[in-house]
Amino acid sequence: MRIAVVGTGYVGLVAGTCFAESGNHVTCIDIDEEKVRRLHDGILPIYEPGLEELLRRNVRDSRLTFTTDYAEGIADAEVVFIAVGTPPGEDGSADLKYVLAAARSIGENLTGYAVIVDKSTVPVGTARKVKEAVASTTKHEFDVVSNPEFLKEGAAIDDFLKPDRVVIGSESPRAAKVMNELYAPFVRTGNPIIETDIESAELTKYAANAMLATRISFMNEIANICERVGANVNHVRKGIGTDARIGSRFLFPGCGYGGSCFPKDVQAIVRTSEEYGYEFRILKAVEEVNERQKHTLFEKAEKHFGDLKGKHFALWGLAFKPNTDDMREAPAIVLCNQLLEAGATVTAFDPEAMEEAKHVYIGDKINYADKPMDALDGADALFVVTEWNEFRRPDFESIYESLEHPVIIDGRNIFSRDVVEEMGFTYYAVGC
Ligand code: NAD
């Protein structure tokens, strides 16, 4: 099939590359000229394991191209995906300006019937707005379909090529048939394509992220209680996770969730509910708990050292989670801000996110190390903020020697308390 993908971010680039990998001819369109120019040179705008190799292969085999020119990208496309950003507006609701701008540009350049697919995470009712925007700029026939994306950054290729399920919301049998054909190679092992009405598909994506965010905030509250009553959240986690009704995934406490999806999607569904006269109380609490949890590492440092003015800290991990360079809403940003405001200094190391970190507010206010151990020189304590695998088995003796004070504040519970305490460290974790 001939496919166009509008937006070459985490979702658009992965989707475009994976559709090309399954034999389609894909043109990715982005308005960011620099991004497209670099993609032509084989330089990826994001870090995502496995993507570079797959992308280069499909570019080499002429199944994948990039352009800023809608006319070139949309011409003859049978399916056009909208995968542009939907950042939170001032009131937390999803800002649809990129989606609707893309829809108008698609309409202006249609050359015949096409299925236009909302892949961006968009509130209920957006497909109708997209339909109006496209209709205002074209006379050609088209259908709009909702096909939310469930990939996880850091495992995006695998998630896309082998999805647990594909959700297709459509009111057109013609469009649904095209979508089923397109996704057939991805569900050969029997994972379902779930066909729904458009509204249910749109809401499914928010419900999934809201449920996952709720599990994290719930476990963070359990961890906070564990600290107060002298219980160990790891034991509690195993104790509940082995219950088949609960399951063991997404039960890890930490220093708060971040990223481009959970924070904004929780906010957006709260706002959508308000628009429909409903107060989504659980999700308001989920959001509040998460904001508070991002302060927990700073509070532990303050409790240990008292005044942090003049102190220097090493920080391992900046990205909001491992295997990505994404810094959006990362807990590290909140921690660095708090440390800087308290008059402390920070040297950070992250395997992939240091370039990205330089573009966020704290970017030029902290120092960066080339290697994890280089961040430790003369630091008063080590914070672990992201659970990259390479941090899990460090040389504790070298850490002990490099730090001014043998203090580790572990926001992801990656070390064993017994091991580090036996070596003489003071160890703070979350709920254990
Ligand atoms: P992103 O910010 O990484 O990328 C968006 C891209 O769209 C940018 O390259 C931007 O230049 C481009 N763009 C903006 N307006 C455009 C226009 N009019 N025409 C062409 N290109 C345009 O975004 P992302 O993280 O890939 O997310 C995209 C959508 O997918 C969002 O709605 C997000 O919620 C959703 N989503 C994201 C993830 C994730 O893990 N990142 C997972 C599932 C769903």
Side-chain angles (χ1 to χ4, degrees):
M1 273 187 212
R2 300 202 79 83
I3 294 174
V5 178
V6 180
T8 59
Y10 287 88
V11 169
L13 209 51
V14 169
T17 304
C18 291
F19 282 132
E21 179 68 11
S22 64
N24 300 289
H25 283 89
V26 180
T27 306
C28 291
I29 307 168
D30 206 291
I31 47 170
D32 184 334
E33 287 179 11
E34 173 69 8
K35 210 179 235 189
V36 170
R37 196 182 55 70
R38 289 165 69 89
L39 280 165
H40 277 142
D41 294 339
I43 303 169
L44 271 66
I46 53 167
Y47 171 72
E48 183 59 47
L51 179 59
E52 190 166 344
E53 192 194 336
L54 216 58
L55 182 138
R56 289 207 174 143
R57 182 165 71 225
N58 283 286
V59 169
R60 185 198 62 204
D61 296 347
S62 309
R63 283 190 301 270
L64 181 61
T65 51
F66 305 99
T67 184
T68 53
D69 181 359
Y70 268 88
E72 180 192 332
I74 301 294
D76 302 327
E78 298 158 81
V79 186
V80 183
F81 283 88
I82 300 179
V84 300
T86 46
E90 268 176 26
D91 63 352
S93 60
D95 186 343
L96 293 179
K97 68 169 179 272
Y98 302 110
V99 170
L100 297 178
R104 283 188 294 272
S105 304
I106 292 166
E108 282 161 13
N109 291 284
L110 281 182
T111 54
Y113 174 80
V115 180
I116 298 170
V117 187
D118 280 341
K119 187 155 260 321
S120 298
T121 302
V122 290
V124 173
T126 303
R128 190 175 28 78
K129 292 181 186 165
V130 166
K131 194 171 177 180
E132 283 163 15
V134 177
S136 71
T137 50
T138 188
K139 292 203 159 41
H140 290 287
E141 250 192 291
F142 68 92
D143 282 306
V144 176
V145 162
S146 167
N147 168 224
E149 181 50 54
F150 299 98
L151 63 76
K152 301 181 288 295
E153 285 175 25
I157 299 288
D158 228 35
D159 286 347
F160 199 93
L161 292 175
K162 291 178 250 163
D164 289 339
R165 78 306 202 184
V166 173
V167 173
I168 295 169
S170 169
E171 53 191 22
S172 150
R174 182 181 182 186
K177 186 165 175 280
V178 172
M179 293 300 286
N180 272 282
E181 275 170 27
L182 179 61
Y183 273 108
F186 301 92
V187 293
R188 276 185 309 223
T189 51
N191 289 347
I193 293 181
I194 299 167
E195 291 186 51
T196 73
D197 57 278
I198 291 176
E199 287 76 11
S200 301
E202 290 174 331
L203 197 57
T204 299
K205 172 66 191 176
Y206 285 101
N209 277 354
M211 170 65 91
L212 294 171
T214 303
R215 281 171 77 97
I216 296 173
S217 277
F218 178 83
M219 285 312 289
N220 282 335
E221 297 248 76
I222 294 289
N224 295 340
I225 279 293
C226 283
E227 286 178 10
R228 284 158 181 82
V229 302
N232 183 328
V233 74
N234 286 326
H235 297 166
V236 178
R237 177 171 59 75
K238 284 181 195 144
I240 63 171
T242 40
D243 184 329
R245 292 170 302 175
I246 296 173
S248 58
R249 299 179 71 184
F250 260 81
L251 290 185
F252 292 87
C255 50
Y257 61 74
S260 65
C261 293
F262 290 179
K264 91 171 164 55
D265 293 350
V266 168
Q267 279 180 40
I269 190 170
V270 168
R271 297 300 163 262
T272 299
S273 307
E274 278 169 4
E275 277 167 34
Y276 285 80
Y278 184 75
E279 188 188 7
F280 208 141
R281 284 196 259 172
I282 288 180
L283 289 184
K284 281 184 167 173
V286 165
E287 206 181 349
E288 256 174 57
V289 168
N290 192 54
E291 283 315 303
R292 189 183 62 197
Q293 198 68 13
K294 287 183 179 176
H295 296 189
T296 191
L297 300 187
F298 178 81
E299 284 160 8
K300 288 177 198 297
E302 226 178 12
K303 193 168 152 207
H304 182 89
F305 290 106
D307 189 3
L308 299 184
K309 194 159 186 225
K311 296 269 182 261
H312 178 62
F313 292 100
L315 201 139
W316 281 1
L318 289 163
F320 83 93
K321 68 172 183 176
N323 297 320
T324 182
D325 58 352
D326 200 338
M327 284 292 297
R328 291 179 278 191
E329 308 275 344
I333 299 175
V334 174
L335 174 62
C336 287
N337 268 331
Q338 287 184 298
L339 293 172
L340 295 170
E341 270 170 29
T345 50
V346 176
T347 299
F349 172 81
D350 187 286
E352 293 295 337
M354 291 196 289
E355 264 320 297
E356 200 52 37
K358 290 173 189 164
H359 303 301
V360 302
Y361 168 70
I362 48 149
D364 56 353
K365 300 182 178 64
I366 62 171
N367 307 304
Y368 299 92
D370 289 336
K371 297 192 189 105
M373 295 307 287
D374 292 351
L376 299 168
D377 277 343
D380 289 290
L382 165 65
F383 285 104
V384 178
V385 190
T386 316
E387 66 276 35
W388 285 92
N389 272 340
E390 68 178 274
F391 300 154
R392 287 181 187 272
R393 297 269 177 276
D395 176 352
F396 285 114
E397 274 179 25
S398 301
I399 296 179
Y400 194 93
E401 278 163 26
S402 300
L403 289 174
E404 284 292 310
H405 303 278
V407 179
I408 297 177
I409 304 172
D410 179 356
R412 300 295 175 186
N413 295 354
I414 63 171
F415 301 141
S416 150
R417 176 176 292 282
D418 291 347
V419 171
V420 287
E421 284 187 345
E422 199 175 312
M423 299 206 56
F425 287 97
T426 302
Y427 181 64
Y428 296 93
V430 183
C432 56

